[in-house]
Amino acid sequence: MAAGIDTVVHPLMRRNDVLQQYMREPLKRLFVAGSYRSMYPAPTGDPPHGEFLASANPKDAGPLDLPGSDPAMTLAFLDENGLDFAVLVPLTRGLNASSNHNTAICAATNDWLTDVWLGERAGRRRFYGSICVNPRDPEAAVAEIRRWAKNPAMVQVVVPMLVHTPYGQRVYHPIWAEAASHGLPVAVRNDGGSGLEYPPTPVGYPRFFIEYHTLASGNFGTHLASLITEGVFEKFPNLKFVFPDGGHDVLSHLGWRLDTTFPACRGETPWVKKMPTEYLAGHFRFASARHERPSFGAQGMADWARISDAETLVMFGSHYPHWTVMRPDELFPELPEPARDRMLAGNALDFYRDRIGAEAAAASR
Amino acid sequence: MAVKTAGAERASQREVAVRVVDADVHPTLSVDMFSEYIPEPWRSRYYRQSLPMVGGLYGSVMSFHREDTAPPGGGGPGSDPEFAAKQLFVDEKDDYAILIPMSASANQLTNPEAETAFLSGVNAFQAETWLGKHNWHGRFKGSIVVSPADPEGAAREIERWAGHPHFVQVGMPLGSRTPFGNPRHDPIWAAAARAGLPVGFHFTTTASMNWLTPAGFPSSYLEAHALASYQAMTHVASFVLEGVFEKFPALKLAWIETGFTWLLPLMSRLDNNWRDLGHEVPLVKRAPSEYIKDHMRFSTQALDDVAPFTDLVRVMELVEGERILIFSTDYPHHDTDDPDWLEARLPKAWRHRVMADNAIELYGLPRMRPWDTFDDQRASP
Amino acid sequence: MKAGGRYVVGSVDELPPGTMKLVPVGKFGVGVYNVGGELVALTNYCPHRGGPLCQGQVIGWAEQGERPWEIRWSRPGEILRCPWHQWEFEIKSGSAIIYQESKRPYSIRMYPVKVEGGEVVLEGV
């Protein structure tokens, strides 16, 4: 039976103050908003703040206990949906003002994740993790990657989407060099926080959550355009990126725009050796997202999936316990089984090839 | 002048069916051309002769204008209305050209009142020249340029020109500090809707904050240009989700040189999100994609480089391109689309709609126009 | 001056290295280029979207320089840039250089050109 791999699960801490238990003096004294901090409150009505499923609250949860914090419940979600493995993508809620504080939060999050989530359950590994690093401090980020690179449970590096400089620029290259040297892909996640960030759209702040949410995952475009244009993949040929919040639906348009404009601009960036879209299949993947589902009828869906190369570029991600949770049967149901199998498991097995262990590979046979 | 007389004679005798409306033509205006039209005290204070260049931050090694558009008499591409008319109406096959004076668009970075004064000078200059003494053929149609940073001033400027025979739209830039659906802009939409004028948005290579993406400033023109369509996406979502079309049912919008293939994901996302979260925005009564198709039009240039081209046609079908696309050349810029090349590649049943009809309806143009001297020149070159 | 499948462009002296002459051959015209002594004839029609290719600038080729921020300019006079969408073509081969392996290996339609008795002659017209 084919493995189902859930490439996006968000583990939360039992309570926000658990983070401080993994931090040291004196930075542990600094306030951290934790999973409560978000730019726009979600109007779903799910307590406590609308963003996560009420059904994911731990049993006998007290007022400070957070949904999605119980590994056993997350495992039950995987089992109910035929998913063997999950890649955990913790949320650190945007950039704090103090960069060194950010670095400490990332390290503490990685320690917590390993401690609570990444052990074996019933004799085998079900959860894999992401190494949180602070992109504002490349030197510190490199050190943190090095700290975890040999841990077989860590399958990728994760950085926030909203930063001050697009990820292709040279200031970040030491981080990508380190990740590439260990064969680690990089995930760029939408943290949703109201940290030290620019407005979430290029024309300012929307007023409503629905406006914000409709567009937010599309912001990967800045980084994708930057990574290609700065020749990052010529420099690090084995480097790969994944966008856990989705955005594959917007990708086609962006790729075409880049291709259309590139010939006129090639002289400015001659280290780009191919048409921009020729870098996509080899270096980028996108997690599925429920709200990207086109509603054009079955033929329209099939055509769109082909035009947008969904079968190659999309990996299933549930986003559990986020309110946007998606189940495997919602993933391109109109497409034939082989294509769905690639998105449900095959692409993730290839993408995390050196990392997801023999157990996952065996389960897929 | 013999040519003019001939045109006048023919005009009374013969009409031509309008087959090509060009929704994006750029007269190149510089401050020294129109400063006398800028009202006081702003003219004397800031705009006596020339303006330090605010925009053009991201350049490129490309040549911005088509090589063959420089007027023989000098002045740079797009500066000579008579030469432009020849190139558009004789060498090309435009019946009407919608002018969008991009080089004098709103930056919204400084004093809103001064910006409105500046732009009102542009409009007065347009009315006098490109739409006045150089519009003896009546084929140039213009845009009333206004600043999103000064909604009240914009509304006054729209009211000032409403009813003018050759202003067919309100022209606005794409850059903004606030998404355009935000109620602070309502006076602009109210005035446009009252005047029966669509609002056209055009991508501009302006300054500083207009280039900021949520993840910082890109470092090349390639990135900045490719990412500009996100500005349009955000505004489109904002117009729909803020219920602007419920507030102003007569309002129509045109999105010029913003691309349109992003409509496929955006319409889906909007419809999906509205299904789940529509209660947050009770003003929105219908599926967002319906508002978009009813109230918005999108220019074709520059057509995305898609291989194979049939994939692009399929995307056009899925977004109901037959209804919503309007042809444009972006004269005199370099990345133009030739009308014959484009028309030949559209599904046959669509051609008249995309090349002319959709724009005729949007801009209130006639379906038949008088035969004129340009038709003579096309008939016997 | 046409002679069957040939077209006399003009005398060799009219076309020194670094120059181009556009002649009214075929539907779009043909531009005859002298690139460092070698004569090349390109149809004045861009294979990308039909632009007037021979109105484009003849330039060099931008490459990565030694240090990451540097760009090296090489092969001056060997590259033709279409005036519309700015696609870069290697004049001598007529091909869009870096897109060889892409889905868009564009090539310009070329004509054989030779020098006979001091005259530049197009063949296959």
Side-chain angles (χ1 to χ4, degrees):
Chain A
M1 161 151 157
I5 300 178
D6 187 347
T7 62
V8 187
V9 169
H10 295 303
L12 272 76
M13 296 177 185
R14 182 71 189 210
R15 292 198 291 266
N16 276 321
D17 59 17
V18 163
L19 176 68
Q20 272 78 357
Q21 295 168 21
Y22 293 88
M23 295 179 75
R24 290 201 288 260
E25 294 283 5
L27 290 182
K28 68 188 291 181
R29 294 164 186 264
L30 285 175
F31 172 76
V32 177
S35 50
Y36 285 158
R37 185 173 70 194
S38 58
M39 192 66 219
Y40 295 82
T44 60
D46 277 345
H49 296 286
E51 193 172 355
F52 300 105
L53 300 169
S55 61
N57 275 318
K59 304 273 176 295
D60 309 314
L64 297 179
D65 293 343
L66 298 175
S69 57
D70 181 355
M73 289 181 69
T74 304
L75 266 178
F77 171 82
L78 296 183
D79 289 338
E80 278 157 28
N81 290 283
L83 297 160
D84 293 280
F85 306 97
V87 178
L88 305 178
V89 184
L91 303 167
T92 52
R93 291 295 154 171
L95 300 178
N96 289 291
S98 157
S99 181
N100 292 336
H101 187 208
N102 253 6
T103 297
I105 289 172
C106 289
T109 302
N110 297 332
D111 287 324
W112 158 80
L113 189 72
T114 312
D115 194 23
V116 174
W117 289 81
L118 298 185
E120 291 197 345
R121 281 144 220 292
R124 64 184 190 122
R125 188 187 307 292
R126 301 289 298 277
F127 296 130
Y128 292 89
S130 313
I131 308 166
C132 300
V133 301
N134 174 18
R136 284 175 84 194
D137 189 337
E139 207 178 322
V142 166
E144 188 65 9
I145 294 173
R146 237 171 240 168
R147 190 159 79 97
W148 295 103
K150 299 279 187 288
N151 186 320
M154 291 293 199
V155 298
Q156 65 190 4
V157 175
V158 64
V159 291
M161 179 85 79
L162 296 195
V163 287
H164 303 150
T165 305
Y167 279 137
Q169 295 189 22
R170 278 205 298 282
V171 64
Y172 298 110
H173 289 195
I175 310 180
W176 313 143
E178 189 68 25
S181 74
H182 300 288
L184 285 164
V186 180
V188 181
R189 70 159 185 273
N190 213 1
D191 236 343
S194 53
L196 219 65
E197 290 144 22
Y198 292 123
T201 84
V203 293
Y205 291 95
R207 292 203 303 156
F208 299 109
F209 177 87
I210 182 176
E211 227 176 315
Y212 161 77
H213 185 255
T214 295
L215 300 157
S217 72
N219 286 329
F220 75 88
T222 300
H223 296 303
L224 184 138
S226 175
L227 286 162
I228 292 175
T229 306
E230 298 268 5
V232 167
F233 304 114
E234 296 289 337
K235 204 166 163 184
F236 309 114
N238 71 323
L239 184 64
K240 297 189 217 277
F241 281 79
V242 59
F243 297 103
D245 297 279
H248 157 262
D249 58 340
V250 180
L251 172 67
S252 297
H253 159 77
L254 179 62
W256 294 330
R257 280 291 271 208
L258 286 166
D259 275 3
T260 306
T261 310
F262 172 61
C265 303
R266 191 205 65 83
E268 192 188 355
T269 54
W271 35 83
V272 183
K273 296 282 197 318
K274 304 189 281 198
M275 294 293 269
T277 52
E278 286 168 8
Y279 289 101
L280 295 181
H283 297 282
F284 291 100
R285 294 291 181 271
F286 294 79
S288 59
R290 200 173 88 209
H291 290 90
E292 292 175 19
R293 180 178 165 67
S295 46
F296 296 110
Q299 186 56 51
M301 267 288 269
D303 290 344
W304 173 240
R306 178 187 55 75
I307 292 169
S308 64
D309 204 8
E311 186 179 336
T312 306
L313 295 171
V314 174
M315 302 191 293
F316 174 75
S318 72
H319 310 274
Y320 180 87
H322 202 253
W323 72 274
T324 55
V325 68
M326 181 175 182
R327 294 178 167 76
D329 57 13
E330 295 175 272
L331 177 68
F332 287 100
E334 296 86 355
L335 292 186
E337 279 312 300
R340 297 190 72 251
D341 283 344
R342 289 245 24 108
M343 290 188 275
L344 282 167
N347 289 341
L349 278 175
D350 286 341
F351 191 73
Y352 298 111
R353 176 196 315 272
D354 300 323
R355 294 274 156 177
I356 289 199
E359 290 175 4
S364 77
R365 287 190 203 103
Chain B
M1 286 189 352
V3 159
K4 246 188 177 166
T5 310
E9 275 175 6
R10 299 272 184 147
S12 62
Q13 290 161 25
R14 210 170 142 182
E15 287 191 312
V16 180
V18 172
R19 299 203 143 276
V20 180
V21 177
D22 187 345
D24 189 15
V25 171
H26 298 300
T28 305
L29 311 180
S30 53
V31 180
D32 54 296
M33 288 179 187
F34 59 82
S35 68
E36 64 181 276
Y37 296 90
I38 300 174
E40 297 291 3
W42 296 280
R43 180 189 169 225
S44 295
R45 196 178 291 165
Y46 305 121
Y47 303 122
R48 195 171 277 284
Q49 267 180 321
S50 62
L51 197 65
M53 179 73 158
V54 180
L57 263 190
Y58 287 95
S60 176
V61 294
M62 71 173 114
S63 45
F64 204 47
H65 295 112
R66 266 172 48 191
E67 311 269 355
D68 59 339
T69 56
S79 62
D80 180 345
E82 300 293 342
F83 183 69
K86 176 197 168 294
Q87 291 208 301
L88 292 164
F89 306 135
V90 180
D91 302 337
E92 302 282 350
K93 46 194 255 188
D94 289 358
D95 290 296
Y96 287 104
I98 314 294
L99 307 179
I100 302 181
M102 225 181 68
S103 50
S105 70
N107 280 308
Q108 317 161 64
L109 301 170
T110 53
N111 180 348
E113 274 190 318
E115 183 152 79
T116 292
F118 177 81
L119 295 173
S120 76
V122 173
N123 295 328
F125 175 77
Q126 271 191 89
E128 178 81 10
T129 58
W130 287 74
L131 306 180
K133 67 183 181 228
H134 294 291
N135 202 18
W136 46 270
H137 42 72
R139 300 228 226 157
F140 285 144
K141 300 295 180 186
S143 310
I144 306 164
V145 289
V146 298
S147 172
D150 182 13
E152 298 292 343
R156 278 195 303 276
E157 187 68 7
I158 294 168
E159 274 146 28
R160 179 180 168 205
W161 294 107
H164 188 285
H166 298 301
F167 276 120
V168 294
Q169 76 180 350
V170 176
M172 285 187 50
L174 218 50
S176 181
R177 304 290 82 66
T178 319
F180 287 143
N182 185 297
R184 67 180 298 276
H185 300 106
D186 280 356
I188 309 176
W189 321 134
R194 257 195 318 268
L197 291 169
V199 182
F201 299 89
H202 194 288
F203 160 65
T204 49
T205 54
T206 55
S208 71
M209 291 297 290
N210 290 317
W211 289 113
L212 180 62
T213 80
F217 289 102
S219 59
S220 71
Y221 183 80
L222 173 60
E223 293 161 71
H225 190 271
L227 295 170
S229 50
Y230 280 85
Q231 296 176 18
M233 282 187 241
T234 309
H235 289 311
V236 166
S238 180
F239 271 108
V240 171
L241 294 172
E242 291 269 18
V244 173
F245 302 114
E246 291 292 337
K247 288 192 253 184
F248 309 111
L251 182 67
K252 298 267 196 280
L253 308 177
W255 300 89
I256 311 296
E257 206 178 342
T258 61
F260 61 86
T261 49
W262 45 263
L263 276 174
L264 196 153
L266 185 66
M267 288 201 284
S268 305
R269 285 175 176 233
L270 282 167
D271 283 354
N272 292 334
N273 274 277
W274 178 71
R275 213 169 289 126
D276 283 348
L277 300 174
H279 55 270
E280 195 190 12
V281 284
L283 262 185
V284 183
K285 307 265 191 297
R286 301 191 287 145
S289 56
E290 286 181 33
Y291 288 111
I292 292 173
K293 289 183 247 187
D294 287 346
H295 291 271
M296 302 190 195
R297 298 293 176 259
F298 300 83
S299 74
T300 51
Q301 185 272 345
L303 220 51
D304 284 352
D305 229 324
V306 185
F309 190 86
T310 44
D311 282 356
L312 178 59
V313 175
R314 186 63 180 128
V315 172
M316 286 199 232
E317 281 172 5
L318 291 170
V319 302
E320 284 193 55
E322 184 184 356
R323 247 178 102 190
I324 67 172
L325 293 178
I326 52 178
F327 170 73
S328 62
T329 61
D330 194 29
Y331 176 94
H333 292 155
H334 70 98
D335 53 344
T336 193
D337 285 332
D338 176 66
D340 286 329
W341 179 89
L342 176 66
E343 189 174 355
R345 280 156 182 78
L346 292 171
K348 205 162 180 188
W350 292 19
R351 285 175 192 168
H352 197 52
R353 289 218 63 84
V354 175
M355 300 305 288
D357 266 3
N358 291 338
I360 287 171
E361 284 164 18
L362 179 68
Y363 294 117
L365 300 170
R367 292 183 185 278
M368 304 290 292
R369 63 162 175 80
W371 179 278
D372 61 27
T373 181
F374 298 118
D375 297 303
D376 286 332
Q377 292 171 55
R378 278 184 63 79
S380 41
Chain C
M1 296 167 280
K2 266 187 152 195
R6 290 157 39 98
Y7 186 96
V8 179
V9 175
S11 89
V12 160
D13 301 327
E14 288 174 57
L15 214 50
T19 63
M20 183 274 288
K21 187 170 180 188
L22 186 62
V23 294
V25 169
K27 195 168 163 201
F28 305 102
V30 171
V32 182
Y33 291 80
N34 185 332
V35 183
E38 190 177 325
L39 293 170
V40 183
L42 306 175
T43 309
N44 182 30
Y45 182 89
C46 183
H48 176 228
R49 286 192 189 173
L53 199 51
C54 298
Q55 283 179 20
Q57 290 184 29
V58 173
I59 56 172
W61 181 251
E63 283 177 326
Q64 164 104 60
E66 269 197 31
R67 292 176 295 179
W69 56 89
E70 286 173 339
I71 299 172
R72 187 169 56 223
W73 189 245
S74 67
R75 312 178 63 186
E78 292 187 27
I79 312 296
L80 176 60
R81 193 172 69 189
C82 175
W84 278 14
H85 306 93
Q86 316 284 310
W87 280 66
E88 294 162 297
F89 294 89
E90 184 179 52
I91 298 174
K92 289 186 190 170
S93 67
S95 65
I97 309 164
I98 74 164
Y99 315 115
Q100 291 291 337
E101 282 127 45
S102 75
K103 287 185 247 179
R104 275 144 297 184
Y106 288 121
S107 290
I108 307 167
R109 177 154 179 239
M110 299 172 74
Y111 287 88
V113 58
K114 57 213 282 196
V115 177
E116 282 176 359
E119 288 185 327
V120 177
V121 180
L122 274 186
E123 298 187 320
V125 307

